Amino acid sequence: MPNPQSTSRTGPLSGRKAQANRNDEAILHAARQVFIADPAAPISAVAKEAGVGISALYRRYESKEVLLQTLCADGLATYIACAEAALASDAGPWERFTSFVRAVIDADVHALTVSLAGTFTPTEEMFRQTALAVDVAGRIFQEAHEAGVVRSDFAFSDIAMLLEQLTAVSGPNPERTRELRHRYLAMHFDALRPEAARGEMPGPPPSDEELGARWIPRG
């Protein structure tokens, strides 16, 4: 989302466009807060939380469905950015993998998955984003596997479940939540080391079909 104060070849944004950008940022922030807390909340609750009129919200998002699609597309874009940043680093395979997972946890991307999967119909663009997300994150995971820095029975599809588990950890404020999530993430990282393996894990990892089925609209 562009900064309303930024300039380009055409100069600063007009007052009206700058206000529209501020409204859009406020709406998306409010939507995240409202729908993670209650996916069934009405769109009017988002307008109230954002401090904008319902007409201003509908000018940007014609329905709750479109707002949810945009919100989750932004989450996918954040996930991709975290993976690309890890791939661009000069760190080793283990450090790339752990920095990627930490960044996704800190961005709280999977709070959207836990709360909103199955509540709307994904767009074709979201499917394209998902394919890109799988590609870039898969490269990090494959590198870690080939380097032998993660246990051999840890599958790529396990990462999604690990991230969702940590999303459930919550403290009394954002700082404490981050601290607690990093505490339990450190335990997960220790368990993922090859030397931590004590026999095979019970049951297979989640299949692509199992993960994807959660995004099919319910009812």
Side-chain angles (χ1 to χ4, degrees):
M1 211 71 65
N3 185 326
Q5 304 303 317
S6 66
T7 59
S8 65
R9 294 178 186 176
T10 58
L13 293 173
S14 69
R16 182 172 296 179
K17 288 183 178 179
Q19 183 59 49
N21 273 11
R22 286 193 291 270
N23 284 349
D24 197 43
E25 291 174 359
I27 288 167
L28 288 175
H29 178 75
R32 181 184 177 89
Q33 304 306 311
V34 168
F35 292 138
I36 285 178
D38 179 11
I43 201 168
S44 58
V46 176
K48 182 178 180 181
E49 178 72 17
V52 302
I54 192 70
S55 59
L57 191 153
Y58 275 118
R59 279 196 297 272
R60 181 65 181 86
Y61 302 99
E62 63 187 38
S63 66
K64 179 178 177 179
E65 177 94 345
V66 172
L67 183 52
L68 290 173
Q69 289 168 342
T70 304
L71 198 61
C72 286
D74 279 2
L76 273 169
T78 299
Y79 181 92
I80 291 166
C82 291
E84 289 178 336
L87 284 172
S89 77
D90 294 327
W94 174 254
E95 288 73 22
R96 286 192 194 212
F97 171 70
T98 56
S99 67
F100 161 63
V101 174
R102 284 194 194 95
V104 174
I105 289 294
D106 286 343
D108 205 18
V109 170
H110 284 71
L112 297 170
T113 303
V114 171
S115 299
L116 302 182
T119 65
F120 67 94
T121 301
T123 65
E124 287 302 315
E125 177 58 26
M126 287 182 67
F127 286 122
R128 286 191 287 271
Q129 280 183 298
T130 299
L132 177 57
V134 168
D135 176 63
V136 291
R139 287 159 59 191
I140 296 170
F141 176 80
Q142 186 63 30
E143 180 184 61
H145 249 296
E146 290 177 354
V149 295
V150 295
R151 54 187 296 165
S152 61
D153 54 356
F154 178 59
F156 179 64
S157 59
D158 285 320
I159 297 175
M161 291 301 188
L162 183 154
L163 292 167
E164 290 178 29
Q165 289 167 27
L166 288 165
T167 292
V169 176
S170 179
N173 54 60
E175 293 75 18
R176 183 57 175 152
T177 292
R178 183 179 185 277
E179 186 177 53
L180 287 170
R181 288 179 179 180
H182 278 251
R183 176 182 176 85
Y184 298 110
L185 181 57
M187 294 182 188
H188 277 290
F189 283 156
D190 284 347
L192 291 178
R193 288 292 204 173
E195 57 268 24
R198 298 291 184 272
E200 294 185 5
M201 295 188 195
S207 66
D208 291 342
E209 291 73 20
E210 287 173 322
L211 293 177
R214 300 175 304 164
W215 288 95
I216 298 173
R218 299 187 288 267

PDB file of all heavy atoms in Angstrom, residues 177-189:
ATOM      1  N   THR A 177       2.640 -11.664  23.442  1.00  0.00           N
ATOM      2  CA  THR A 177       2.280 -12.686  22.464  1.00  0.00           C
ATOM      3  C   THR A 177       3.488 -13.059  21.616  1.00  0.00           C
ATOM      4  O   THR A 177       3.770 -14.242  21.393  1.00  0.00           O
ATOM      5  CB  THR A 177       1.143 -12.174  21.557  1.00  0.00           C
ATOM      6  OG1 THR A 177      -0.051 -12.045  22.333  1.00  0.00           O
ATOM      7  CG2 THR A 177       0.881 -13.139  20.397  1.00  0.00           C
ATOM      8  N   ARG A 178       4.231 -12.059  21.147  1.00  0.00           N
ATOM      9  CA  ARG A 178       5.415 -12.332  20.330  1.00  0.00           C
ATOM     10  C   ARG A 178       6.453 -13.118  21.127  1.00  0.00           C
ATOM     11  O   ARG A 178       7.047 -14.068  20.620  1.00  0.00           O
ATOM     12  CB  ARG A 178       6.021 -11.016  19.841  1.00  0.00           C
ATOM     13  CG  ARG A 178       7.225 -11.194  18.919  1.00  0.00           C
ATOM     14  CD  ARG A 178       7.761  -9.848  18.449  1.00  0.00           C
ATOM     15  NE  ARG A 178       8.822 -10.024  17.474  1.00  0.00           N
ATOM     16  CZ  ARG A 178      10.093 -10.266  17.777  1.00  0.00           C
ATOM     17  NH1 ARG A 178      10.459 -10.365  19.049  1.00  0.00           N
ATOM     18  NH2 ARG A 178      10.989 -10.416  16.820  1.00  0.00           N
ATOM     19  N   GLU A 179       6.645 -12.729  22.380  1.00  0.00           N
ATOM     20  CA  GLU A 179       7.626 -13.407  23.226  1.00  0.00           C
ATOM     21  C   GLU A 179       7.250 -14.873  23.428  1.00  0.00           C
ATOM     22  O   GLU A 179       8.100 -15.774  23.323  1.00  0.00           O
ATOM     23  CB  GLU A 179       7.704 -12.693  24.571  1.00  0.00           C
ATOM     24  CG  GLU A 179       8.793 -13.207  25.497  1.00  0.00           C
ATOM     25  CD  GLU A 179       8.860 -12.408  26.775  1.00  0.00           C
ATOM     26  OE1 GLU A 179       7.814 -12.261  27.454  1.00  0.00           O
ATOM     27  OE2 GLU A 179       9.953 -11.913  27.103  1.00  0.00           O
ATOM     28  N   LEU A 180       5.982 -15.132  23.710  1.00  0.00           N
ATOM     29  CA  LEU A 180       5.526 -16.507  23.935  1.00  0.00           C
ATOM     30  C   LEU A 180       5.635 -17.334  22.656  1.00  0.00           C
ATOM     31  O   LEU A 180       6.057 -18.499  22.687  1.00  0.00           O
ATOM     32  CB  LEU A 180       4.082 -16.511  24.442  1.00  0.00           C
ATOM     33  CG  LEU A 180       3.884 -16.062  25.895  1.00  0.00           C
ATOM     34  CD1 LEU A 180       2.401 -15.869  26.192  1.00  0.00           C
ATOM     35  CD2 LEU A 180       4.492 -17.074  26.862  1.00  0.00           C
ATOM     36  N   ARG A 181       5.247 -16.744  21.535  1.00  0.00           N
ATOM     37  CA  ARG A 181       5.333 -17.492  20.270  1.00  0.00           C
ATOM     38  C   ARG A 181       6.772 -17.854  19.945  1.00  0.00           C
ATOM     39  O   ARG A 181       7.052 -18.967  19.481  1.00  0.00           O
ATOM     40  CB  ARG A 181       4.694 -16.681  19.135  1.00  0.00           C
ATOM     41  CG  ARG A 181       3.182 -16.615  19.243  1.00  0.00           C
ATOM     42  CD  ARG A 181       2.554 -15.798  18.124  1.00  0.00           C
ATOM     43  NE  ARG A 181       1.104 -15.779  18.260  1.00  0.00           N
ATOM     44  CZ  ARG A 181       0.279 -15.142  17.439  1.00  0.00           C
ATOM     45  NH1 ARG A 181       0.765 -14.466  16.407  1.00  0.00           N
ATOM     46  NH2 ARG A 181      -1.029 -15.167  17.643  1.00  0.00           N
ATOM     47  N   HIS A 182       7.686 -16.938  20.194  1.00  0.00           N
ATOM     48  CA  HIS A 182       9.092 -17.239  19.938  1.00  0.00           C
ATOM     49  C   HIS A 182       9.612 -18.303  20.915  1.00  0.00           C
ATOM     50  O   HIS A 182      10.468 -19.117  20.547  1.00  0.00           O
ATOM     51  CB  HIS A 182       9.932 -15.965  20.035  1.00  0.00           C
ATOM     52  CG  HIS A 182       9.898 -15.143  18.787  1.00  0.00           C
ATOM     53  ND1 HIS A 182      10.980 -15.020  17.938  1.00  0.00           N
ATOM     54  CD2 HIS A 182       8.905 -14.423  18.220  1.00  0.00           C
ATOM     55  CE1 HIS A 182      10.660 -14.257  16.914  1.00  0.00           C
ATOM     56  NE2 HIS A 182       9.403 -13.867  17.061  1.00  0.00           N
ATOM     57  N   ARG A 183       9.101 -18.318  22.120  1.00  0.00           N
ATOM     58  CA  ARG A 183       9.508 -19.342  23.092  1.00  0.00           C
ATOM     59  C   ARG A 183       9.142 -20.733  22.568  1.00  0.00           C
ATOM     60  O   ARG A 183       9.982 -21.647  22.547  1.00  0.00           O
ATOM     61  CB  ARG A 183       8.812 -19.085  24.432  1.00  0.00           C
ATOM     62  CG  ARG A 183       9.085 -20.154  25.493  1.00  0.00           C
ATOM     63  CD  ARG A 183       8.326 -19.857  26.785  1.00  0.00           C
ATOM     64  NE  ARG A 183       8.513 -20.917  27.761  1.00  0.00           N
ATOM     65  CZ  ARG A 183       9.536 -21.010  28.597  1.00  0.00           C
ATOM     66  NH1 ARG A 183      10.484 -20.089  28.558  1.00  0.00           N
ATOM     67  NH2 ARG A 183       9.636 -22.000  29.453  1.00  0.00           N
ATOM     68  N   TYR A 184       7.898 -20.899  22.143  1.00  0.00           N
ATOM     69  CA  TYR A 184       7.459 -22.220  21.686  1.00  0.00           C
ATOM     70  C   TYR A 184       8.002 -22.550  20.299  1.00  0.00           C
ATOM     71  O   TYR A 184       8.205 -23.727  19.982  1.00  0.00           O
ATOM     72  CB  TYR A 184       5.934 -22.322  21.764  1.00  0.00           C
ATOM     73  CG  TYR A 184       5.480 -22.171  23.199  1.00  0.00           C
ATOM     74  CD1 TYR A 184       4.794 -21.051  23.630  1.00  0.00           C
ATOM     75  CD2 TYR A 184       5.841 -23.130  24.151  1.00  0.00           C
ATOM     76  CE1 TYR A 184       4.449 -20.888  24.963  1.00  0.00           C
ATOM     77  CE2 TYR A 184       5.492 -22.979  25.481  1.00  0.00           C
ATOM     78  CZ  TYR A 184       4.794 -21.858  25.887  1.00  0.00           C
ATOM     79  OH  TYR A 184       4.478 -21.704  27.212  1.00  0.00           O
ATOM     80  N   LEU A 185       8.264 -21.523  19.515  1.00  0.00           N
ATOM     81  CA  LEU A 185       8.904 -21.764  18.227  1.00  0.00           C
ATOM     82  C   LEU A 185      10.305 -22.328  18.438  1.00  0.00           C
ATOM     83  O   LEU A 185      10.739 -23.227  17.702  1.00  0.00           O
ATOM     84  CB  LEU A 185       8.970 -20.466  17.424  1.00  0.00           C
ATOM     85  CG  LEU A 185       9.600 -20.554  16.039  1.00  0.00           C
ATOM     86  CD1 LEU A 185       8.889 -21.587  15.172  1.00  0.00           C
ATOM     87  CD2 LEU A 185       9.582 -19.179  15.361  1.00  0.00           C
ATOM     88  N   ALA A 186      11.020 -21.827  19.439  1.00  0.00           N
ATOM     89  CA  ALA A 186      12.356 -22.354  19.741  1.00  0.00           C
ATOM     90  C   ALA A 186      12.285 -23.840  20.080  1.00  0.00           C
ATOM     91  O   ALA A 186      13.162 -24.622  19.689  1.00  0.00           O
ATOM     92  CB  ALA A 186      12.977 -21.577  20.899  1.00  0.00           C
ATOM     93  N   MET A 187      11.230 -24.249  20.790  1.00  0.00           N
ATOM     94  CA  MET A 187      11.055 -25.674  21.110  1.00  0.00           C
ATOM     95  C   MET A 187      10.814 -26.483  19.835  1.00  0.00           C
ATOM     96  O   MET A 187      11.358 -27.584  19.667  1.00  0.00           O
ATOM     97  CB  MET A 187       9.886 -25.845  22.078  1.00  0.00           C
ATOM     98  CG  MET A 187      10.106 -25.237  23.436  1.00  0.00           C
ATOM     99  SD  MET A 187       8.687 -25.530  24.526  1.00  0.00           S
ATOM    100  CE  MET A 187       9.132 -24.506  25.939  1.00  0.00           C
ATOM    101  N   HIS A 188       9.992 -25.938  18.940  1.00  0.00           N
ATOM    102  CA  HIS A 188       9.742 -26.619  17.664  1.00  0.00           C
ATOM    103  C   HIS A 188      11.039 -26.756  16.869  1.00  0.00           C
ATOM    104  O   HIS A 188      11.319 -27.815  16.292  1.00  0.00           O
ATOM    105  CB  HIS A 188       8.710 -25.838  16.845  1.00  0.00           C
ATOM    106  CG  HIS A 188       7.286 -26.110  17.206  1.00  0.00           C
ATOM    107  ND1 HIS A 188       6.672 -27.309  16.942  1.00  0.00           N
ATOM    108  CD2 HIS A 188       6.355 -25.332  17.805  1.00  0.00           C
ATOM    109  CE1 HIS A 188       5.420 -27.265  17.346  1.00  0.00           C
ATOM    110  NE2 HIS A 188       5.199 -26.076  17.885  1.00  0.00           N
ATOM    111  N   PHE A 189      11.814 -25.690  16.815  1.00  0.00           N
ATOM    112  CA  PHE A 189      13.066 -25.745  16.060  1.00  0.00           C
ATOM    113  C   PHE A 189      13.997 -26.825  16.611  1.00  0.00           C
ATOM    114  O   PHE A 189      14.622 -27.568  15.836  1.00  0.00           O
ATOM    115  CB  PHE A 189      13.768 -24.385  16.089  1.00  0.00           C
ATOM    116  CG  PHE A 189      13.171 -23.356  15.176  1.00  0.00           C
ATOM    117  CD1 PHE A 189      13.345 -22.003  15.430  1.00  0.00           C
ATOM    118  CD2 PHE A 189      12.448 -23.723  14.045  1.00  0.00           C
ATOM    119  CE1 PHE A 189      12.811 -21.034  14.580  1.00  0.00           C
ATOM    120  CE2 PHE A 189      11.905 -22.771  13.194  1.00  0.00           C
ATOM    121  CZ  PHE A 189      12.084 -21.422  13.465  1.00  0.00           C
TER     122      PHE A 189
END
